[in-house]
Amino acid sequence: MRERLEELLDVKSLMTLALTGGFISLTCAGRITGDQFLTIFTMITGFYFGAQAHRSASKEK
């Protein structure tokens, strides 16, 4: 459990969470549209989960 928490607190994870929070606040404030948010959020989460999957695959070898 502790190892999992340490992985969550790496720089990429913190950046992903910060960007997600930022774009949610911009959407709620009406500065960006829902479509723009969806595009940006999809790119961020795709990169994050792609990097996580790649890292997991590298550890298994």
Side-chain angles (χ1 to χ4, degrees):
M1 178 74 169
R2 182 178 177 169
E3 183 177 310
R4 183 78 173 151
L5 183 60
E6 288 173 0
E7 287 180 11
L8 181 64
L9 295 176
D10 70 351
V11 174
K12 282 192 276 185
S13 298
L14 293 175
M15 287 298 297
T16 302
L17 294 173
L19 287 170
T20 299
F23 285 115
I24 288 172
S25 66
L26 288 172
T27 302
C28 291
R31 298 228 175 201
I32 61 174
T33 66
D35 290 335
Q36 291 171 325
F37 171 77
L38 185 60
T39 301
I40 294 165
F41 186 71
T42 302
M43 288 175 31
I44 291 169
T45 55
F47 174 77
Y48 175 74
F49 285 112
Q52 292 289 81
H54 179 65
R55 190 178 328 157
S56 295
S58 296
K59 286 182 180 180
E60 290 178 5
K61 289 182 179 180

